[in-house]
Amino acid sequence: MDNNEHPIFIPNSYQIYTKPTEYLANFILSNISQGHHGCSVYGGGGLGKTTAQQYLTGNASRWLVNNKTKQQIGVAARMVMPSGIRRSDRAFWTAMNRRLKLVNAIRMDPGLGLERLVNFIRTRCGQARQRRMVLFIDNAQRITEAEYQYLEDLDGLVLDENLSLFLVLVRQSDAEGVDVGDDWLERPSHTVRRWFMDTAPFRPLMGIAEITHALGRYDRSVAWPTPDMPFSRYFAKNAFDRGWCLSKDAPVIFEGVRSLRTEYKLPETDAWPMATFTLVVHSLLADIAHEKSDFNGFTPEQVRHVLLASGYLRLEFVRAKMRMPDMRHDEAS
């Protein structure tokens, strides 16, 4: 079997359920229970917003449920709002249809484009015998004020079908140098009433408890090629069968992060963005655990090497808006 076929090497081939993903799911459910038409989430690059949306879209039956009855209360879909300037409703509805893979047309009549979206929601809800669709719109900071008015038309038509459309507007807070955390303050009241009644940040992994939880997903939740082969067992079968698992090494991994931050005088924090977390896990498993026949756990030196090689420091200096020091010595070593 070719190890390169493993999902860990294939972009977007798997997602893990993390505490930030759980917080997002609960935030959405809270807004649905309050009767809102949508909510707003924001965060910087690399935190794991896209991965969380993909997980929640693909596993709607697990979280989009009534807390009391445990019955499913909706279906989910996701699209990425394209960049560029859309100067008409025709351009907007064409972009929406194409991103949801409903049409390949370069241009379409705006009325037809709107009707296709209504029919998409009607069909998806009908197939699942649900009355609500949760639609994640990634890069929602690209939506213009005029386009929010177009979305109001969609919202109204869906309501006329006795259905409900709940928009989750996921915005890149540092896109183009603009902080969008509180940008609802200058929006018209009818827009706020529909989609900006509640806004929350999307967080990175916070502290050793959340890091341990995320590492534990590689021990239990994601497996290949058979259910009895979780990722950590696949890459270190002998050690795993002797009692080792990736989450047991959370303390040495977490201490490696803290030590590296202290060494390079980065601000003290327990936050770890998913972008580098997953890269570090991939390298620890594939490059160290899998390659050492006597492997039985990671050493501080191995963790430090992987953190440096993964680009962890580069992203953290960018996040801290600090100038990165000369890394040639560490890169060489």
Side-chain angles (χ1 to χ4, degrees), residues 36-315:
H36 298 162
H37 292 221
C39 60
S40 170
V41 181
Y42 65 94
L47 298 187
K49 300 186 299 301
T50 296
T51 302
Q53 293 171 72
Q54 291 171 332
Y55 181 91
L56 294 178
T57 300
N59 295 275
S61 62
R62 298 186 181 184
W63 68 274
L64 194 51
V65 298
N66 183 296
N67 286 331
K68 294 181 179 179
T69 65
K70 305 304 179 184
Q71 297 296 310
Q72 188 173 347
I73 59 173
V75 296
R78 172 180 174 269
M79 62 162 286
V80 180
M81 182 57 62
S83 60
I85 299 174
R86 295 169 292 276
R87 300 185 184 278
S88 66
D89 54 350
R90 178 196 299 271
F92 178 71
W93 294 123
T94 299
M96 290 279 289
N97 275 266
R98 294 185 68 185
R99 286 306 172 104
L100 286 167
K101 297 181 172 58
L102 305 181
V103 69
N104 293 322
I106 297 177
R107 299 178 66 188
M108 64 167 51
D109 179 84
L112 176 60
L114 178 55
E115 176 54 33
R116 282 183 179 271
L117 278 171
V118 173
N119 187 58
F120 167 69
I121 296 167
R122 182 192 301 124
T123 301
R124 284 288 308 275
C125 288
Q127 290 171 342
R129 297 184 178 181
Q130 300 292 331
R131 291 192 175 276
R132 177 182 291 106
M133 168 171 280
V134 173
L135 177 59
F136 293 90
I137 302 184
D138 205 354
N139 280 326
Q141 75 279 356
R142 296 171 175 170
I143 302 175
T144 67
E145 288 303 325
E147 291 170 347
Y148 277 115
Q149 295 181 31
Y150 305 151
L151 287 172
E152 288 180 26
D153 294 340
L154 175 62
D155 192 45
L157 288 175
V158 170
L159 285 173
D160 287 344
E161 297 275 343
N162 293 319
L163 301 174
S164 172
L165 174 63
F166 187 92
L167 297 185
V168 183
L169 303 169
V170 184
R171 299 171 296 156
Q172 187 84 359
S173 62
D174 51 3
E176 301 175 354
V178 177
D179 185 356
V180 300
D182 290 324
D183 73 344
W184 62 271
L185 291 169
E186 298 181 357
R187 295 190 182 279
S189 60
H190 57 89
T191 301
V192 173
R193 178 178 60 82
R194 273 187 163 87
W195 304 299
F196 289 92
M197 293 294 285
D198 205 356
T199 301
F202 187 89
R203 307 183 318 166
L205 298 171
M206 298 294 296
I208 190 168
E210 292 191 5
I211 290 171
T212 302
H213 174 270
L215 293 172
R217 313 316 287 172
Y218 291 87
D219 296 327
R220 298 182 298 275
S221 297
V222 286
W224 186 87
T226 55
D228 66 338
M229 194 62 72
F231 285 14
S232 52
R233 183 172 186 249
Y234 179 91
F235 289 102
K237 186 176 184 300
N238 292 335
F240 190 94
D241 291 346
R242 290 194 300 265
W244 171 87
C245 63
L246 183 60
S247 57
K248 284 188 175 181
D249 274 349
V252 69
I253 295 171
F254 183 66
E255 183 56 36
V257 171
R258 298 190 69 175
S259 297
L260 200 63
R261 296 189 70 90
T262 300
E263 179 182 345
Y264 282 90
K265 298 181 173 57
L266 280 164
E268 186 174 341
T269 179
D270 290 343
W272 193 350
M274 285 297 293
T276 49
F277 172 82
T278 53
L279 289 176
V280 167
V281 170
H282 295 181
S283 187
L284 287 172
L285 290 176
D287 299 334
I288 296 179
H290 194 56
E291 297 300 323
K292 295 186 176 297
S293 58
D294 58 346
F295 174 78
N296 203 37
F298 300 109
T299 67
E301 293 76 21
Q302 291 169 336
V303 171
R304 184 181 190 278
H305 171 76
V306 168
L307 284 166
L308 289 169
S310 71
Y312 171 83
L313 282 178
R314 184 176 296 276
L315 180 59

